[in-house]
Amino acid sequence: MNRFSLLRSTPFRLALTFAFLFVLAFVLSGSIVYQMMSANLNSRLDRSIRETYSIIAATYGGNDIDDLIATVESHMSMSPTKEQLFSLANSSGKQLAGNFVATALPEGFSVISANAPGVPADAAYRAYSGSIGGNNLTVAFNLSETEELEQIVLMSFGWGTLIITGLALTGGALLASRVQRRLDGIAATMVEVSHGTLDARIPLIGSGDDIDVVSGQVNAALDRLSALVDGMKQVSANIAHDLKTPLNRLQLILDVASQKTASGQEVSDDLVEARAEGTQINETFDALLRIAQIEAGARKARFTDLDLSEVVETIAEIYADVAEDDGKSLSSIALQSGNVIHGDRELLTQLFANLVENALRHCPTGTSIELSVIRQADHILAKVSDNGPGIPAGEREKVFQRLYRLDSSRSTPGSGLGLSLVRAIVDLHGATAVLQDCQPGLAVVVSFPVTKSSTSQIRSGSQAYR
């Protein structure tokens, strides 16, 4: 990433904004601390000056000017380097004692510059002047210590500001560069996908941060998209393969009928056969369209709360006689009422009808088919099982694909769309369908989520329809 792209990157701009706000907060807080510290130092200095002034002034209690002069000279001797200045003058301005001459100073606090007589050059003093018995007493302390402390604090804040600014900019650039590399990885992956490389995935670093979470979700979406595209390719191939034979057969029938018509022969049987082929082709396309409509989710508008046991029981009643006529048996076992789910009754009826018809179509005479509905935790399980030949484990997921048929079932009627329709209805209801081995036989278990509390009223015993 070059310098200009770094400046345009959102992470770097956010880092700069954060750094600016952080430095601004540091400067503001530093200014407040400096002002408070400076005021405190000046207050302490004024208090010390005033205390010293009071001690010296107390010696004039007996109007003894000599004691006052001696006290001033005593304090003056303790400050040979003139860190503290003292001045005592009488009412006529004559200097009586002190190590500097205080001229024209107002009563109270003031600042003495280096221009006053006796004041060291390049020095400033905080002074307090007052009248004692008509004499003028001035006490002044050097401001260098206070100014030095203030200078140290200012320098500390200045260096701190520079260091924080540098760290903020450097850290922001490093973090922005790291984030930008990951965003570039996402962008590169999406470009690859847009150019047809559907197996491209965003690299994850495993930190679990927000970018990793979003990248994982995008990868999951790409997995679903890739599977959908593969499914569509498979469906297109299956449609072309499975409809090629009936279309060729229809073409052949029509050619034969045309030849018979030319020679004056009867073609009514050929037309009946052609109509049957056309009907089969239309039914296949109708089934494909119905699956597509269900997968589009438009039927969700018809969802209501319904008792799944009633739907299964209706299927059992309808197909009991059909199974008996076909030399098989159909029974429902311990159906529990009150197994309420949110769904479309017509589609659910279609779902279980397809499963029962599959069992009737592909199982031999004498097969027993059982239907059951039970509540298990927060799911309702509907089961259609038989003791027929079953489905090999490697084929159980494939049979849900459109137009997929087992080799053993190609000689029986059917288009290979029955279980595809079942899967579409199951997905629409947010349920899952699993094929299990009954040893012998096959069980299709459909698990529906419970959408509200249902009161189970277990009906004892089993009811057989044979």
Side-chain angles (χ1 to χ4, degrees), residues 152-380:
I152 291 173
V153 173
L154 279 178
M155 290 293 292
S156 299
F157 279 121
W159 280 108
T161 303
L162 289 176
I163 293 173
I164 289 175
T165 303
L167 289 176
L169 292 176
T170 305
L174 292 175
L175 292 175
S177 177
R178 183 170 179 268
V179 173
Q180 190 62 47
R181 281 198 300 272
R182 299 178 66 184
L183 294 178
D184 290 343
I186 296 175
T189 301
M190 301 314 294
V191 169
E192 289 185 52
V193 172
S194 67
H195 285 82
T197 309
L198 296 181
D199 57 348
R201 295 293 180 270
I202 300 171
L204 304 178
I205 62 174
S207 63
D209 60 7
D210 52 350
I211 296 181
D212 240 20
V213 171
V214 172
S215 298
Q217 292 172 345
V218 173
N219 285 341
L222 291 176
D223 288 339
R224 292 191 292 273
L225 176 64
S226 180
L228 181 61
V229 172
D230 290 341
M232 292 300 294
K233 290 179 180 177
Q234 184 64 38
V235 168
S236 300
N238 289 342
I239 290 175
H241 180 270
D242 282 51
L243 292 183
K244 182 179 179 180
T245 300
L247 286 173
N248 286 339
R249 193 161 50 237
L250 178 60
Q251 181 66 39
L252 181 60
I253 294 171
L254 293 176
D255 289 343
V256 171
S258 177
Q259 293 172 3
K260 288 181 178 179
T261 301
S263 60
Q265 298 181 37
E266 178 62 36
V267 296
S268 57
D269 291 341
D270 295 317
L271 292 177
V272 171
E273 190 176 358
R275 182 177 182 180
E277 290 291 346
T279 301
Q280 178 62 35
I281 294 172
N282 282 334
E283 288 177 351
T284 300
F285 277 110
D286 287 343
L288 289 171
L289 289 174
R290 185 171 176 79
I291 292 173
Q293 290 172 350
I294 293 172
E295 290 179 339
R299 295 293 295 262
K300 278 197 171 182
R302 302 175 56 176
F303 274 28
T304 59
D305 288 342
L306 54 90
D307 192 337
L308 189 63
S309 298
E310 295 178 1
V311 176
V312 175
E313 188 170 0
T314 300
I315 293 296
E317 291 174 353
I318 292 174
Y319 283 92
D321 293 338
V322 178
E324 185 176 1
D325 294 341
D326 201 32
K328 305 176 180 80
S329 64
L330 177 64
S331 61
S332 60
I333 298 179
L335 289 182
Q336 303 173 359
S337 61
N339 292 315
V340 179
I341 66 170
H342 196 60
D344 185 317
R345 183 180 295 275
E346 181 185 338
L347 291 180
L348 292 171
T349 302
Q350 176 77 65
L351 184 157
F352 291 106
N354 278 19
L355 294 178
V356 172
E357 287 178 0
N358 265 3
L360 293 173
R361 183 178 298 123
H362 300 295
C363 291
T365 302
T367 300
S368 296
I369 304 170
E370 294 178 345
L371 303 177
S372 64
V373 178
I374 61 172
R375 173 88 176 258
Q376 188 174 80
D378 55 350
H379 284 77
I380 295 176

Side-chain angles (χ1 to χ4, degrees), residues 45 48-49 52-53 56 71-73 75-88 95 97-102 105 111-121 123-129 137-143:
L45 182 62
S48 297
I49 294 173
T52 301
Y53 180 91
I56 295 174
T71 303
V72 170
E73 290 178 346
H75 279 79
M76 182 182 66
S77 64
M78 291 186 293
S79 181
T81 58
K82 292 192 173 181
E83 291 298 318
Q84 298 178 359
L85 298 179
F86 303 91
S87 175
L88 177 64
Q95 188 75 9
N99 52 5
F100 87 110
V101 178
L105 291 180
V111 177
I112 301 175
S113 66
N115 297 325
V119 177
Y125 290 81
R126 180 75 168 168
Y128 182 83
S129 295
L137 175 63
T138 300
V139 177
F141 282 14
N142 197 328
L143 287 172

Side-chain angles (χ1 to χ4, degrees), residues 420-450:
S420 299
L421 185 59
V422 168
R423 172 57 62 86
I425 296 173
V426 166
D427 291 343
L428 183 68
H429 286 77
T432 59
V434 179
L435 302 187
Q436 299 176 345
D437 188 0
C438 288
Q439 298 179 350
L442 178 74
V444 183
V445 181
V446 185
S447 176
F448 294 90
V450 177

